[in-house]
Amino acid sequence: NAGVTQTPKFQVLKTGQSMTLQCAQDMNHEYMSWYRQDPGMGLRLIHYSVGAGITDQGEVPNGYNVSRSTTEDFPLRLLSAAPSQTSVYFCASTPGRSGIRFFGPGTRLTVL
Amino acid sequence: DAKTTQPNSMESNEEEPVHLPCNHSTISGTDYIHWYRQLPSQGPEYVIHGLTSNVNNRMASLAIAEDRKSSTLILHRATLRDAAVYYCILRAGGSNYKLTFGKGTLLTVNP
């Protein structure tokens, strides 16, 4: 199993550009989530999904969209990037109702 | 949400045991105690979790106080690869999405 994979590893955007951060898992986990981590801070939940076709907002959803058309994939979209979205983004999946998160390696995003 | 309090940083020596404390005085009866760690430039990694009883796995042990207001993550023999930020998190029983990460404890392991 590859576990949780994220692409790209690094990305630089200009203000106003859009992009999609990709996240995929091959463990057949129903629950997936996106977090952002800013320097010196813990992780903050952006959006999450409890299964294909179901998504909901976390603590900091503004400026981000998600969709979940398959169990495997959970992309995060930035419609109009802002410098405040400069951060490291982590995707995670969770088996069943265990609450245990399996995290991907992260995407480091810089918005100029 | 019940909060956790951890020291900002701790130091240990290689091959010695490490006890990482966590206070959670407002924990509710159905809250699970989770521990994660994050190595430099990596995503967080699950370490261990428990509800009431002490737990052991290949990575660490979790000691939970009888009143559940505190817990301790025990690394039995620290190695340089254990240097990381360790997060103590409460998860409401029955809730999968609410996992609030604080700033954690930065563990430094000296050779």
Side-chain angles (χ1 to χ4, degrees):
Chain A
N1 286 352
V4 179
T5 57
Q6 292 184 239
T7 55
K9 284 187 167 44
F10 301 95
Q11 183 71 50
V12 179
L13 292 178
K14 294 182 180 176
T15 297
Q17 287 185 313
S18 63
M19 80 159 295
T20 299
L21 279 62
Q22 301 292 345
C23 174
Q25 52 97 3
D26 61 358
M27 298 174 283
N28 202 33
H29 292 168
E30 288 189 354
Y31 179 81
M32 296 184 74
S33 49
W34 275 102
Y35 292 83
R36 62 177 286 175
Q37 185 173 35
D38 300 310
M41 300 192 58
L43 280 73
R44 291 185 290 170
L45 181 65
I46 305 172
H47 284 285
Y48 65 97
S49 168
V50 299
I54 306 169
T55 64
D56 207 342
Q57 297 180 350
E59 311 168 61
V60 289
N62 292 342
Y64 308 96
N65 279 351
V66 292
S67 60
R68 184 94 179 272
S69 56
T70 67
T71 299
E72 294 78 20
D73 300 299
F74 190 42
L76 178 71
R77 296 185 188 84
L78 284 70
L79 297 179
S80 179
S84 61
Q85 293 178 304
T86 293
S87 189
V88 181
Y89 291 84
F90 292 102
C91 177
S93 72
T94 298
R97 299 184 66 79
S98 67
I100 298 172
R101 302 281 187 268
F102 291 84
F103 283 88
T107 293
R108 186 174 295 274
L109 175 68
T110 301
V111 183
L112 303 175
Chain B
D1 291 339
K3 285 186 63 173
T4 63
T5 304
Q6 300 176 254
N8 289 334
S9 62
M10 290 184 63
E11 271 193 53
S12 71
N13 296 320
E14 205 174 4
E15 299 190 4
E16 291 184 356
V18 181
H19 291 233
L20 295 160
C22 181
N23 288 322
H24 28 78
S25 57
T26 59
I27 190 171
S28 76
T30 57
D31 285 344
Y32 287 81
I33 302 160
H34 281 242
W35 282 83
Y36 285 77
R37 71 180 186 180
Q38 187 172 21
L39 279 64
S41 300
Q42 293 189 27
E45 174 187 28
Y46 167 79
V47 177
I48 200 167
H49 78 285
L51 183 61
T52 56
S53 304
N54 295 344
V55 185
N56 300 300
N57 66 21
R58 63 174 180 81
M59 288 181 70
S61 296
L62 175 60
I64 302 173
E66 201 167 327
D67 64 4
R68 300 208 327 126
K69 292 185 187 297
S70 66
S71 61
T72 302
L73 179 71
I74 303 166
L75 307 178
H76 295 286
R77 286 185 68 198
T79 70
L80 297 179
R81 288 173 294 180
D82 291 321
V85 177
Y86 287 79
Y87 298 98
C88 169
I89 302 162
L90 300 182
R91 176 181 69 87
S95 166
N96 236 355
Y97 74 89
K98 199 75 171 177
L99 211 62
T100 302
F101 286 76
K103 294 188 179 181
T105 297
L106 174 63
L107 175 66
T108 301
V109 180
N110 301 314

